[in-house]
Amino acid sequence: MGLKSSNKDRDIILVEKALEGDQTAYTELMTLYWESIENLFYVKLPSKEDVEDLTIATFSKAFDKLDLYNSSFAFSTWLQTIATNTLIDFFRKKHNKTLSLDQEKEVEGSSSSEMQLIDSSLDPESSLIQKQKNKKINSMVQLLKPHYRELIILRYLDEMSYIEISEKLSIPIGTVKAKLFRARDLLMQILKTNENEY
């Protein structure tokens, strides 16, 4: 009980410092909870790539909405709620993308209540909101070398697919994946050690 209380007090102080612009407070919050959020995704997802993507997305969303955190709840609980919602969104998007046009034709005879197509593309307002997200984590991304920074921004902030990045940068998809893996690794080191050498 005492440990939980001291953790909560520590987290409240870190959140307050982060909201005042203290980058080390953001880093400390990530270091404290990175593994538990990652483990939450590992239980549900077989792909290490997806786990890392969603973990970064969870912290991005949390830091963007940090001013909405209610200190009467544990920070870890609030973060897990964001992670759960991120996972639900991920499965929803994945489900929508698996419905091909051929499948649409096959079920044309079905009643409209049986099948509803959802446009998963972002409207202009949502797109703007999405681009405004991750402001806090973006300052850490700026510590990466330019070619890694660009990949992280395209993948996590602009939410582009590997194919879209490959086409935009005119590089093979295998190179995109390899460089993104390295970029993520470097970003994790920055976030966990707060070193500015990358």
Side-chain angles (χ1 to χ4, degrees):
M1 180 111 175
L3 182 62
K4 279 188 178 178
S5 177
S6 66
N7 284 351
K8 187 176 175 185
D9 292 342
R10 174 205 64 203
D11 291 350
I12 290 169
I13 291 167
L14 285 172
V15 168
E16 286 172 358
K17 284 183 177 178
L19 287 170
E20 289 167 6
D22 185 340
Q23 291 302 318
T24 58
Y26 284 109
T27 305
E28 196 168 339
L29 286 168
M30 286 192 81
T31 304
L32 286 166
Y33 293 108
W34 184 270
E35 197 173 323
S36 64
I37 295 301
E38 206 173 42
N39 288 339
L40 186 147
F41 292 129
Y42 269 124
V43 174
K44 304 282 185 185
L45 299 166
S47 164
K48 187 175 189 293
E49 203 170 76
D50 288 340
V51 168
E52 288 178 353
D53 285 359
L54 294 191
T55 304
I56 288 175
T58 297
F59 280 98
S60 298
K61 289 173 185 176
F63 290 165
D64 189 57
K65 303 288 183 190
L66 203 55
D67 58 326
L68 300 179
Y69 166 64
N70 181 344
S71 59
S72 60
F73 298 99
F75 182 76
S76 57
T77 306
W78 184 70
L79 199 56
Q80 285 171 358
T81 303
I82 292 171
T84 303
N85 290 335
T86 301
L87 186 64
I88 291 167
D89 288 345
F90 171 79
F91 282 129
R92 192 177 290 137
K93 279 183 185 176
K94 195 168 186 178
H95 174 73
N96 290 340
K97 284 179 183 174
T98 57
L99 186 62
S100 72
L101 290 176
D102 289 338
Q103 288 170 306
E104 183 185 342
K105 286 175 188 169
E106 285 171 20
V107 291
E108 265 179 0
S110 307
S111 69
S112 58
S113 62
E114 284 181 60
M115 182 186 137
Q116 293 178 336
L117 287 177
I118 300 166
D119 182 5
S120 61
S121 63
L122 296 173
D123 59 62
E125 184 182 351
S126 298
S127 183
L128 179 64
I129 291 167
Q130 188 62 40
K131 284 179 181 173
Q132 288 173 342
K133 282 184 179 182
N134 313 307
K135 284 180 281 189
K136 308 297 189 294
I137 201 171
N138 193 39
S139 64
M140 296 180 196
V141 171
Q142 297 307 315
L143 301 174
L144 291 167
K145 288 181 180 172
H147 59 283
Y148 288 132
R149 185 188 314 139
E150 183 178 26
L151 285 168
I152 290 284
I153 289 169
L154 291 175
R155 178 70 177 150
Y156 301 113
L157 306 188
D158 295 345
E159 295 189 342
M160 290 176 71
S161 69
Y162 293 118
I163 294 169
E164 289 170 331
I165 295 170
S166 170
E167 289 171 358
K168 181 177 175 68
L169 301 180
S170 301
I171 56 176
I173 196 163
T175 305
V176 170
K177 288 184 177 182
K179 285 191 169 188
L180 259 172
F181 180 81
R182 179 65 180 141
R184 278 199 304 259
D185 187 48
L186 290 170
L187 183 59
M188 290 311 97
Q189 289 178 48
I190 289 168
L191 298 174
K192 289 177 182 178
T193 66
N194 202 32
E195 289 176 355
N196 295 0
E197 60 195 69
Y198 300 99

